[in-house]
Amino acid sequence: MMQFMLLFSRQGKLRLQKWYVPLSDKEKKKITRELVQTVLARKPKMCSFLEWRDLKVVYKRYASLYFCCAIEDQDNELITLEIIHRYVELLDKYFGSVCELDIIFNFEKAYFILDEFLLGGEAQETSKKNVLKAIEQADLLQESQSEDWGSLPNEEIL
Amino acid sequence: MSDVVEKTLTALPSLLSLDSQPGSAKLSSSSKLGNLIRGITELTSKHEEEKLIQRELLLIKEQVSSPNTTMRQMKELMVRAIYCEMLGYGVSFSYIHAIKLAQQGNVLEKRVGYLAVSLFLNEGHELLLLLVNTVLKDLQSTNLIEVCMALTVVSQMFPKDMIPAILPLVEEKLNHPKEIIRRKAVLALYKFYLIAPNQVQHIHNKFRKALCDKDPGVMSASLHIYLQLIQENPEGYKDLAPSFVTILKQVVAGKLPMDFNYHSVPAPWLQIHLLRILSLLGKSDQSTSEIMYEILDESLRRAEMNHNITYAILYECVKCVYTIHPKSDLLEKAAKCIGNFVLSPKINLKYLGLKALTYVVQQDPKLALQHQMTIIECLDHPDLIIKRETLELLFRITNEQNVTVIVEKMLDFLQINKDDHTTIDLVGKVAELAEKYAPDNEWFIETMNTVFSVGGDLLQPDIPNSFLKLLSEGFDSVEEDKKLRLFAVNSYVSLLEGGPSKLPQRFLQVICWVLGEFSHLREDLEPDVVLRMLAKLLDMKSSSSETKCWVLMAMTKLCSGGAALALVQDVSETYSSSLDTMLRQRAQELQILSQDSKLQAKVLPRSASMEPVEVDSSLSFLDGFVSEALAAGAAPYKPPHQRQEELSRSKALNMEPYGLSLPIGMSSCSVTDRQSPTLLSISSGLSGDSADFSHKGSSAALKLDGVKRLWGRDGYLAKKEAAEEAPQVEAASPVRSPSQRGDTDGSVSQTPTPECDQEKQQLASSLFVGLATQSSVCLMGKSEPTSQRFRRKPKASGGSEPMSNPLASPSDGADNVLPQNLLDSSDLDVSSPEQTHGLPQDPDTPNGSCTAEEESADPMAEPSAHEDLDRSRDSCLSSHLPAELSALSHSEITSLCSNQSLDVSACHVQREDSVVLVVFVSNRSDFCLQQMRLQVQSEELEVSCASDCPSEELKSHSVAVCQYLLTVQRPSVHFDLSATVSWQLPAGSPQTAPFSYKLPLTGFIRALRLSTEEYGAMWLAYSHDTKLNLTLMDDDQDPLAATLHVLKRKLQLHVVEIIGVEAIVACCLQQDQPCLMHCRVHAGMLAVWLRSPVPDLPDCLLYHCQRALQEP
């Protein structure tokens, strides 16, 4: 089972975090800080797998973003790399040639896609088509409702 | 999907096209979130960011709590709050609003609300309780998207205690027409199983239904549950193995819909899941493994495409092949696969190849030999991860011949490594290797010095502990012990002279202890000098108060005879007023003992650290206090293990059988017990048990056919020499003389190769030396015990080394078996499997006790199926029993050792007050044996010779009988007797053969007849006690009586009295050492409490009670 997934930039800024095991905020911060440091210190041609504390860490860099997953001892490292890859493919298809900015500005969408792809740390739907279908259906609902509410006065306080 | 959505879809075609436009999602960048993000990126310092976010958070806080905020605005606020949280700022004020949003918002707002909840809250957060009603409502919604959202959040987190509230609804969803709902429901149940397995205990049949779902997605999801279930209890799901194999066959054959393909590989996630399940089911189960051979072969064959995903499947296949019951051609293919990984230019595959190699190297050391050059290259790899994994591999193949090179490589790595976790792990491994294979004292002490210096204070505490234990207990010979200790003292004195301030605290503590204990061994070293050195440590700023305690203790040991009295007085005065209580205590001790050398000698006798200290562990002096408290209504004390047991029993059904509880004294904690975190699922202690080993050997043997041997036992060998070397390898002795090894090494370096290669080859030959020895030993079907330099408490120290016998060459092994068989055939016993099993397979190891143990474990046991065979030997030898013993019951006579000259058998006879060991030595040769001598000894037993062999000569085909009186010195579950027999043939050199005999404690237990009053008086007087719950015998009428009857029959216990559900029982160990037992039936178990004045006796006896009740 995947323990957590982190997305961070080359500058070490966290872009997405999903924890599948209950940890305290303090622990999460500590792990994130240490892991980001460790991964960023590695050179491009190095191995994508780390043994880090008691976990196995699998990471891969796509453009300016690092995707980093922690898995358990008996889990398969290579298939985890493919999980990362499939997630990137999903983001790419959804946003249309995805870039870091898409994820920064629409991180909630990135979370929705992730939740449809992985559930509770396990891959639940690996078909690109099916994941995006589920997301788009929910999105459509959003658009339809904004349409309905379009005529309402804007009540923003600020 | 849902009707609503589908309607919307048709009604709004324009929006559909808008949404599918690339980049349409970027619209929100003009929102407030966008402004916030842009604001942050424009900032230059962390401080400015902090200020901005704090302002933002204040704003959000104000808005979320305002009653005028709409849900739509709330949704936007939540997104901003999530963003701030990701940046590391606390947004706990918004948690409750996230829940509210999930509760009250429309579908879209709800979606963000649920997302915020799942990101903000942990499983155990109390606010989650407020979510239960929302989830309940949404699970019943007609809108499928709402149901999906509820199931998604439930699969990520849900309060354990509230599971029953929603379980029926989730179960219901398993029958939902939509696949996506069923799949999510299965995953929700998986989550429930993980956090509260007992809550879903009753719906295991629903899991089966999910497994049989017509949609592969749902079936696939159910495998998560099955993987978990099978991991916990593989036995319970063996019946499913054929189904899993069928599923995998269909997947591999591409029978699933195209949707499941990933880069044109059919359902790789599903394949890997199934392979993991199969390897769990097939582990050490031949018949189940056989079902899966075909599909594994197919998977290995199919996965040949050059893509990451096929490598993932291959890797899982290889792990599976090596985990299940071995099949030679599959192993061969898997080995080839590993080879491809190791040789791959892709670094990820190389890493996994090394990992797989580490995983299998103990089963198949030859594989490491094949790739030795690659391994050497990896050792110098710039990526530390690769280097680290290579060291892990080398660690697994370390033996006494390559230990120095491998440890050197590990220490090199430690110098550059910066990760604490790795350092701790590696340092532990170095210590383990050093202890096991150290070639000499000097190397051992120096290596341990490095371990202590590098490991520093991160070091696992058991490393210094076992090091000190090793020094104090010693090993083979007194002389060697002294040398080792002296070397340690010398080394530490020079370390202290050279400036101790850089040494870690733990190391200083070790140094203090060793100097305190052993510095007297160095005669030219005055105690004054050592005391002064130690005193310097006290003045160092860096010394912790714990270290100071160790210093003071060492000084206390050294201060006898008025050495440096002024200094000692000074020190003790300084620390007598310390704020640290421990230090004060030590200082007081030092002060008093330094002035009274008689008392000092009594309290701290020299070199007595290995003597056991009498500790009244049961605190019997508190019995009065306890009984008063009990009378006053206090709850009786339960030991932690019992509490734990009761707790776990009340929580969940225990699926695992209760293990036999071993007496505390038996569980030795040592460095070897520590397992590496990278260890894969197979158990792989360095010294595998012999049964395991021979089984692995057979698989290695199968594969050797037709494989050209390019690699010799001593590592890399040039090709031209391979032909000459190979036959020699097969015939050579398992232990090679140094000169022989030198020859091989020499020839390697002579081969004309470029210099760099030559260097590597030399490294290879030093790293892989002795590896093939191991495999060739396997070929011969023998298990060679790993020779350990620092063996703790040698069991068979019969005085003469068996290997020192010039005649005992390995070829003896074959010779020995042959005459034995011939002799057996003359006795018409040749076909007896029992008999052959009983033969010592390796004359060089003290063996032969394996049958002896089985047979003597229960002297009262019914005769086995081989009754008549044993009888014949029994009756033949029992006629030789001395007259005074022949009337008494004796254990079966077991053969302990036999070779072409003689045959040693033994049995033990239970006399009323003692146990007599009777050894029969039969001369089976045609010559008269001369100077025949027997030596028997044991650690726990006192062995006194009751009647020695009548003469030192033993005529051809005659039997000599010796008797030994056995007295228990220290109770133990089983007693091992190690013995040697030595003799001389008329025209030959003296020969010796070791053998051992094992007898259980029960042989020494006698009934103790006393009255209830006497029992009561004795009970209070005894201090050593132990308690445990035992299983009751099945008996409808009176389980207590039935259980006691079994104990009485098997262990000869005396039942003093039975009162209702309680009973008191007594026995004694050779009359003067009583053990009392109190039994009470409680909750279907027999709560047993044993007490005795003898330490360890209750524990050992309890073990036998447990066994007596478990055996049919």
Side-chain angles (χ1 to χ4, degrees):
Chain A
M1 193 178 97
M2 192 180 289
Q3 310 284 294
F4 57 82
M5 186 188 230
L6 301 176
L7 260 70
F8 49 89
S9 70
R10 224 166 23 170
Q11 290 77 34
K13 287 245 188 283
L14 194 60
R15 295 302 180 208
L16 211 70
Q17 53 172 344
K18 187 81 190 179
W19 301 83
Y20 296 108
V21 282
L23 290 171
S24 72
D25 285 349
K26 211 175 136 198
E27 281 170 294
K28 284 182 192 171
K29 273 185 200 169
K30 187 163 179 266
I31 291 175
T32 310
R33 196 175 55 237
E34 286 180 22
L35 202 54
V36 167
Q37 243 174 30
T38 314
V39 170
L40 287 179
R42 292 181 61 77
K43 298 198 177 69
K45 285 276 157 90
M46 284 183 170
C47 174
S48 301
F49 314 130
L50 290 176
E51 252 153 61
W52 189 77
R53 300 204 195 165
D54 289 333
L55 294 173
K56 296 200 292 196
V57 170
V58 178
Y59 74 91
K60 188 152 184 175
R61 187 180 149 180
Y62 287 86
S64 57
L65 266 188
Y66 283 89
F67 291 71
C68 176
C69 299
I71 51 174
E72 285 176 303
D73 193 41
Q74 63 275 26
D75 290 332
N76 190 312
E77 290 95 338
L78 286 172
I79 200 90
T80 311
L81 268 186
E82 295 314 304
I83 285 189
I84 293 178
H85 188 72
R86 171 68 11 136
Y87 184 46
V88 174
E89 284 179 343
L90 285 167
L91 292 172
D92 198 57
K93 185 117 189 253
Y94 182 79
F95 288 111
S97 63
V98 67
C99 67
E100 192 185 338
L101 283 180
D102 290 321
I103 296 172
I104 299 176
F105 285 105
N106 302 285
F107 64 87
E108 81 275 21
K109 298 275 170 48
Y111 276 123
F112 292 142
I113 297 173
L114 187 61
D115 280 350
E116 207 55 50
F117 173 43
L118 300 177
L119 191 49
E122 306 277 8
Q124 63 150 334
E125 174 60 85
T126 52
S127 149
K128 239 190 306 197
K129 200 179 79 194
N130 291 348
V131 172
L132 293 177
K133 202 171 86 189
I135 297 291
E136 273 160 14
Q137 277 172 341
D139 281 351
L140 276 178
L141 210 58
Q142 177 166 18
E143 300 304 334
S144 72
Q145 276 167 355
S146 358
E147 185 71 2
D148 293 343
W149 291 13
S151 55
L152 290 174
N154 202 338
E155 285 180 302
E156 283 179 35
I157 289 165
L158 274 175
Chain B
M1 186 191 259
S2 80
D3 297 342
V4 181
V5 177
E6 271 153 25
K7 267 179 218 158
T8 329
L9 228 148
T10 42
L12 296 159
S14 57
L15 279 172
L16 179 69
S17 62
L18 175 77
D19 191 73
S20 58
Q21 242 170 39
S24 64
K26 287 175 192 163
L27 285 172
S28 59
S29 60
S30 61
S31 67
K32 282 187 201 140
L33 175 74
N35 290 336
L36 171 65
I37 294 168
R38 267 192 295 276
I40 290 169
T41 42
E42 279 159 18
L43 298 175
T44 47
S45 75
K46 183 82 190 156
H47 179 69
E48 281 176 325
E49 181 194 294
E50 217 161 282
K51 261 177 27 192
L52 182 84
I53 301 282
Q54 292 303 351
R55 236 181 12 244
E56 180 78 17
L57 286 178
L58 270 179
L59 218 62
I60 296 175
K61 198 171 180 176
E62 193 182 301
Q63 289 184 41
V64 288
S65 42
S66 151
N68 297 325
T69 310
T70 63
M71 280 299 136
R72 192 176 179 198
Q73 289 161 339
M74 192 70 101
K75 179 185 123 199
E76 203 275 322
L77 290 167
M78 264 323 130
V79 174
R80 275 195 280 164
I82 295 175
Y83 190 80
C84 293
E85 213 233 0
M86 185 156 63
L87 291 178
Y89 298 89
V91 291
S92 51
F93 64 84
S94 61
Y95 293 175
I96 184 75
H97 298 285
I99 289 177
K100 228 163 86 185
L101 186 62
Q103 208 165 48
Q104 296 167 6
N106 63 33
V107 181
L108 296 160
E109 293 146 7
K110 204 182 252 307
R111 191 177 174 209
V112 174
Y114 273 134
L115 175 68
V117 168
S118 71
L119 290 172
F120 288 155
L121 301 184
N122 256 343
E123 221 158 78
H125 203 286
E126 49 190 0
L127 281 181
L128 266 187
L129 286 177
L130 299 176
L131 198 70
V132 175
N133 268 328
T134 316
V135 168
L136 265 179
K137 203 182 83 202
D138 286 337
L139 280 176
Q140 296 171 68
S141 163
T142 50
N143 185 338
L144 289 190
I145 293 184
E146 283 183 337
V147 179
C148 279
M149 285 193 286
L151 285 173
T152 302
V153 80
V154 159
S155 313
Q156 299 188 61
M157 53 175 53
F158 199 74
K160 230 187 264 187
D161 307 331
M162 297 310 287
I163 289 174
I166 61 160
L167 189 58
L169 282 174
V170 176
E171 275 180 67
E172 205 177 275
K173 297 288 178 262
L174 291 175
N175 299 322
H176 201 277
K178 286 278 179 194
E179 180 267 344
I180 187 172
I181 304 280
R182 293 204 301 278
R183 171 164 33 98
K184 284 181 197 269
V186 170
L187 284 169
L189 290 181
Y190 169 58
K191 179 70 181 175
F192 294 167
Y193 179 77
L194 286 181
I195 58 174
N198 50 336
Q199 304 269 32
V200 289
Q201 200 83 54
H202 59 289
I203 53 165
H204 280 205
N205 58 335
K206 300 248 162 111
F207 298 158
R208 290 225 175 198
K209 217 181 136 211
L211 183 65
C212 303
D213 197 284
K214 61 180 188 296
D215 191 288
V218 181
M219 180 272 293
S220 189
S222 77
L223 291 184
H224 295 298
I225 302 179
Y226 276 101
L227 182 64
Q228 201 65 33
L229 287 170
I230 291 169
Q231 229 159 27
E232 282 154 26
N233 173 26
E235 292 308 315
Y237 299 89
K238 297 275 183 188
D239 60 318
L240 286 177
S243 318
F244 291 129
V245 169
T246 316
I247 298 172
L248 186 54
K249 268 185 190 155
Q250 289 176 0
V251 175
V252 172
K255 298 263 167 67
L256 291 192
M258 289 295 279
D259 274 358
F260 288 89
N261 283 9
Y262 176 84
H263 295 270
S264 63
V265 174
W269 278 272
L270 183 53
Q271 284 196 44
I272 284 174
H273 239 92
L274 286 165
L275 285 169
R276 278 180 67 183
I277 289 178
L278 289 183
S279 69
L280 289 172
L281 287 174
K283 192 175 175 183
S284 40
D285 179 345
Q286 187 172 356
S287 57
T288 311
S289 297
E290 275 163 5
I291 308 174
M292 49 188 87
Y293 288 152
E294 191 194 329
I295 186 60
L296 286 175
D297 196 50
E298 175 82 10
S299 295
L300 282 173
R301 202 168 51 78
R302 289 235 179 195
E304 271 167 1
M305 213 179 71
N306 189 15
H307 187 277
N308 241 344
I309 196 76
T310 55
Y311 293 131
I313 298 172
L314 270 182
Y315 184 59
E316 208 62 46
C317 264
V318 167
K319 281 210 287 192
C320 182
V321 166
Y322 272 97
T323 310
I324 62 169
H325 188 87
K327 182 168 191 266
S328 59
D329 68 320
L330 276 182
L331 284 174
E332 211 169 303
K333 282 179 189 162
K336 206 176 126 211
C337 225
I338 295 180
N340 289 341
F341 273 52
V342 172
L343 296 173
S344 167
K346 292 182 182 167
I347 189 157
N348 287 344
L349 294 187
K350 197 182 267 304
Y351 170 81
L352 288 181
L354 285 173
K355 237 181 141 147
L357 211 50
T358 311
Y359 179 76
V360 304
V361 73
Q362 271 158 322
Q363 296 181 44
D364 193 357
K366 259 186 343 92
L367 209 51
L369 279 179
Q370 278 172 28
H371 300 296
Q372 47 181 324
M373 290 321 270
T374 318
I375 294 172
I376 303 274
E377 274 159 24
C378 291
L379 208 49
D380 287 328
H381 202 280
D383 190 348
L384 284 191
I385 295 291
I386 299 277
K387 235 175 163 162
R388 170 81 186 78
E389 194 54 44
T390 315
L391 289 175
E392 184 72 38
L393 172 62
L394 291 178
F395 169 72
R396 303 287 174 93
I397 58 165
T398 310
N399 55 38
E400 54 273 24
Q401 292 167 50
N402 59 15
V403 64
T404 45
V405 193
I406 290 180
V407 165
E408 193 192 317
K409 291 281 164 198
M410 289 172 127
L411 294 178
D412 285 351
F413 182 85
L414 280 170
Q415 300 297 339
I416 48 170
N417 176 57
K418 289 189 185 67
D419 172 34
D420 285 352
H421 204 268
T422 314
T423 303
I424 296 171
D425 179 57
L426 214 53
V427 154
K429 286 185 170 142
V430 171
E432 185 180 333
L433 292 179
E435 195 179 306
K436 262 196 182 143
Y437 303 117
D440 55 59
N441 290 336
E442 202 171 320
W443 184 89
F444 178 65
I445 295 294
E446 269 164 13
T447 305
M448 289 311 284
N449 283 356
T450 324
V451 164
F452 290 131
S453 317
V454 176
D457 297 318
L458 299 167
L459 212 62
Q460 304 240 7
D462 59 342
I463 296 174
N465 285 350
S466 55
F467 173 71
L468 293 181
K469 202 168 161 223
L470 197 119
L471 275 187
S472 64
E473 278 179 355
F475 40 103
D476 285 332
S477 75
V478 180
E479 199 50 39
E480 277 293 298
D481 289 352
K482 201 182 157 189
K483 274 193 203 153
L484 177 67
R485 289 168 189 160
L486 194 59
F487 194 87
V489 169
N490 285 337
S491 165
Y492 296 158
V493 166
S494 55
L495 273 174
L496 289 191
E497 279 167 350
S501 54
K502 286 188 204 98
L503 299 177
Q505 300 300 308
R506 281 267 171 74
F507 192 17
L508 286 176
Q509 290 162 13
V510 167
I511 291 176
C512 288
W513 192 88
V514 171
L515 289 183
E517 204 71 27
F518 300 121
S519 63
H520 65 87
L521 291 174
R522 191 168 142 181
E523 275 147 18
D524 61 329
L525 189 66
E526 292 294 319
D528 291 28
V529 181
V530 184
L531 280 171
R532 252 175 238 118
M533 277 180 193
L534 290 172
K536 264 191 211 153
L537 296 181
L538 290 173
D539 298 334
M540 279 186 341
K541 275 202 191 92
S542 53
S543 297
S544 69
S545 57
E546 198 191 344
T547 307
K548 286 179 183 166
C549 282
W550 286 74
V551 174
L552 291 180
M553 280 191 283
M555 291 177 107
T556 316
K557 287 177 198 160
L558 289 169
C559 65
S560 65
L565 200 60
L567 177 78
V568 168
Q569 284 302 325
D570 195 34
V571 164
S572 59
E573 253 165 54
T574 315
Y575 288 98
S576 305
S577 53
S578 164
L579 284 176
D580 188 305
T581 12
M582 279 312 286
L583 260 179
R584 217 155 58 219
Q585 162 95 17
R586 299 292 168 219
Q588 289 289 348
E589 286 168 9
L590 175 62
Q591 187 156 39
I592 291 165
L593 292 179
S594 65
Q595 285 163 353
D596 188 342
S597 48
K598 257 193 202 160
L599 186 62
Q600 198 259 8
K602 203 176 154 198
V603 175
L604 298 165
R606 191 160 274 187
S607 302
S609 56
M610 62 287 255
E611 299 296 326
V613 181
E614 279 286 326
V615 178
D616 184 358
S617 58
S618 64
L619 310 175
S620 62
F621 52 88
L622 286 174
D623 277 355
F625 174 79
V626 171
S627 51
E628 262 172 45
L630 283 174
Y637 173 75
K638 283 178 192 160
H641 65 92
Q642 197 180 341
R643 262 177 282 162
Q644 203 64 43
E645 227 166 71
E646 280 172 17
L647 206 66
S648 63
R649 214 177 309 139
S650 67
K651 263 188 190 159
L653 281 176
N654 190 356
M655 309 293 277
E656 303 226 324
Y658 293 106
L660 296 176
S661 83
L662 282 172
I664 303 137
M666 297 275 292
S667 61
S668 63
C669 91
S670 77
V671 195
T672 37
D673 288 346
R674 205 177 329 104
Q675 298 229 323
S676 94
T678 53
L679 200 68
L680 292 155
S681 63
I682 49 158
S683 72
S684 46
L686 259 170
S687 47
D689 58 312
S690 57
D692 218 358
F693 212 91
S694 56
H695 142 84
K696 284 164 193 163
S698 68
S699 69
L702 279 167
K703 285 175 47 190
L704 203 80
D705 301 330
V707 179
K708 213 169 147 195
R709 284 190 74 108
L710 292 181
W711 306 89
R713 62 170 56 236
D714 282 358
Y716 180 86
L717 287 171
K719 275 181 189 163
K720 57 171 185 175
E721 276 155 7
E724 296 155 30
E725 184 70 6
Q728 189 195 337
V729 162
E730 304 297 334
S733 84
V735 176
R736 310 225 326 156
S737 68
S739 64
Q740 252 175 306
R741 219 180 307 140
D743 287 345
T744 327
D745 289 355
S747 64
V748 167
S749 50
Q750 278 160 21
T751 44
T753 38
E755 193 132 304
C756 153
D757 267 13
Q758 197 174 338
E759 229 168 70
K760 280 184 178 167
Q761 282 159 15
Q762 263 171 345
L763 182 58
S765 59
S766 51
L767 278 176
F768 296 93
V769 68
L771 246 200
T773 319
Q774 230 175 337
S775 57
S776 72
V777 166
C778 296
L779 282 173
M780 289 151 90
K782 283 199 259 176
S783 62
E784 185 191 39
T786 42
S787 81
Q788 221 166 305
R789 179 175 172 80
F790 301 113
R791 214 173 312 156
R792 287 219 189 90
K793 304 240 168 146
K795 284 268 188 277
S797 49
S800 62
E801 268 292 308
M803 285 309 293
S804 65
N805 185 344
L807 286 182
S809 69
S811 58
D812 257 7
D815 288 351
N816 286 346
V817 176
L818 198 62
Q820 172 71 34
N821 282 342
L822 286 174
L823 186 94
D824 280 349
S825 64
S826 69
D827 285 348
L828 299 172
D829 276 347
V830 72
S831 59
S832 149
E834 174 81 303
Q835 197 80 331
T836 20
H837 174 56
L839 287 181
Q841 293 175 341
D842 185 350
D844 299 335
T845 47
N847 198 344
S849 65
C850 56
T851 32
E853 177 192 346
E854 281 162 23
E855 287 168 14
S856 62
D858 186 359
M860 307 296 174
E862 297 291 316
S864 65
H866 302 284
E867 190 179 6
D868 37 341
L869 295 174
D870 290 331
R871 274 288 153 76
S872 63
R873 184 177 58 202
D874 215 271
S875 60
C876 160
L877 284 174
S878 59
S879 63
H880 290 282
L881 268 176
E884 71 270 22
L885 298 178
S886 57
L888 298 166
S889 72
H890 65 87
S891 71
E892 277 183 76
I893 299 174
T894 44
S895 168
L896 302 180
C897 160
S898 51
N899 51 45
Q900 67 263 55
S901 317
L902 45 74
D903 183 5
V904 181
S905 305
C907 69
H908 59 271
V909 181
Q910 303 194 12
R911 289 210 296 215
E912 199 159 321
D913 54 345
S914 62
V915 174
V916 179
L917 175 75
V918 185
V919 182
F920 306 91
V921 185
S922 7
N923 183 356
R924 57 201 322 193
S925 70
D926 294 330
F927 309 102
C928 179
L929 296 184
Q930 289 164 341
Q931 297 186 350
M932 209 270 296
R933 269 190 217 99
L934 269 174
Q935 265 192 325
V936 182
Q937 56 183 10
S938 164
E939 276 182 38
E940 301 94 354
L941 293 173
E942 194 184 298
V943 184
S944 56
C945 192
S947 88
D948 209 344
C949 303
S951 79
E952 289 190 349
E953 278 190 18
L954 189 55
K955 290 209 181 85
S956 171
H957 298 293
S958 66
V959 178
V961 180
C962 312
Q963 295 177 43
Y964 296 92
L965 201 61
L966 305 178
T967 327
V968 177
Q969 282 188 315
R970 193 153 48 84
S972 166
V973 173
H974 293 286
F975 300 101
D976 288 306
L977 289 155
S978 55
T980 45
V981 56
S982 59
W983 72 94
Q984 196 170 4
L985 284 169
S989 47
Q991 299 194 35
T992 56
F995 62 93
S996 65
Y997 188 78
K998 192 168 183 176
L999 71 167
L1001 176 79
T1002 45
F1004 296 89
I1005 296 290
R1006 302 287 180 272
L1008 178 64
R1009 284 166 218 292
L1010 30 81
S1011 68
T1012 310
E1013 288 74 33
E1014 284 170 321
Y1015 182 99
M1018 285 162 82
W1019 179 263
L1020 285 179
Y1022 297 156
S1023 55
H1024 299 280
D1025 71 344
T1026 190
K1027 289 183 208 179
L1028 196 75
N1029 285 346
L1030 300 178
T1031 43
L1032 277 166
M1033 300 303 283
D1034 282 332
D1035 188 299
D1036 296 337
Q1037 281 162 7
D1038 195 348
L1040 178 61
T1043 311
L1044 290 174
H1045 181 69
V1046 172
L1047 292 178
K1048 189 176 165 185
R1049 184 169 56 84
K1050 290 193 177 171
L1051 303 177
Q1052 309 197 358
L1053 307 180
H1054 172 63
V1055 181
V1056 180
E1057 199 175 353
I1058 302 181
I1059 314 152
V1061 293
E1062 289 182 65
I1064 49 176
V1065 179
C1067 66
C1068 64
L1069 187 64
Q1070 297 178 336
Q1071 289 209 318
D1072 53 334
Q1073 303 183 320
C1075 184
L1076 306 179
M1077 186 164 145
H1078 175 262
C1079 310
R1080 195 162 74 90
V1081 179
H1082 176 69
M1085 299 288 283
L1086 186 69
V1088 179
W1089 188 356
L1090 288 133
R1091 273 193 173 195
S1092 168
V1094 187
D1096 295 343
L1097 182 56
D1099 283 319
C1100 299
L1101 190 62
L1102 196 55
Y1103 169 85
H1104 284 288
C1105 290
Q1106 220 171 357
R1107 276 199 62 165
L1109 294 178
Q1110 277 173 3
E1111 282 165 1

